[in-house]
Amino acid sequence: MSRDGTEVWFTLKDSGKTQIMSTRPPFRILSTIDSGLITNHVTLVDNSAGKSPM
């Protein structure tokens, strides 16, 4: 979950994709990204450069 609680990122491990879902109604998928085969865990980082998935 994002630090501000507005997004949940989850992996679709077998398809090599990661989806980003809004935590606010209507709870829609915001984006699907190719993250590579057997993606396991997603880490979100907020720093002086902005927000970034790791």
Side-chain angles (χ1 to χ4, degrees), residues 20-41:
I20 303 133
M21 183 176 186
S22 172
T23 60
R24 296 183 178 155
F27 308 109
R28 63 188 176 89
I29 299 297
L30 300 173
S31 185
T32 301
I33 57 175
D34 291 320
S35 52
L37 292 176
I38 312 176
T39 299
N40 204 6
H41 300 283

Side-chain angles (χ1 to χ4, degrees), residues 1-50:
M1 180 173 282
S2 63
R3 186 175 197 173
D4 61 8
T6 61
E7 299 173 350
V8 174
W9 290 50
F10 56 96
T11 62
L12 306 171
K13 191 172 182 174
D14 293 336
S15 67
K17 299 190 183 298
T18 298
Q19 286 193 317
I20 303 133
M21 183 176 186
S22 172
T23 60
R24 296 183 178 155
F27 308 109
R28 63 188 176 89
I29 299 297
L30 300 173
S31 185
T32 301
I33 57 175
D34 291 320
S35 52
L37 292 176
I38 312 176
T39 299
N40 204 6
H41 300 283
V42 177
T43 301
L44 302 176
V45 175
D46 293 352
N47 61 29
S48 62

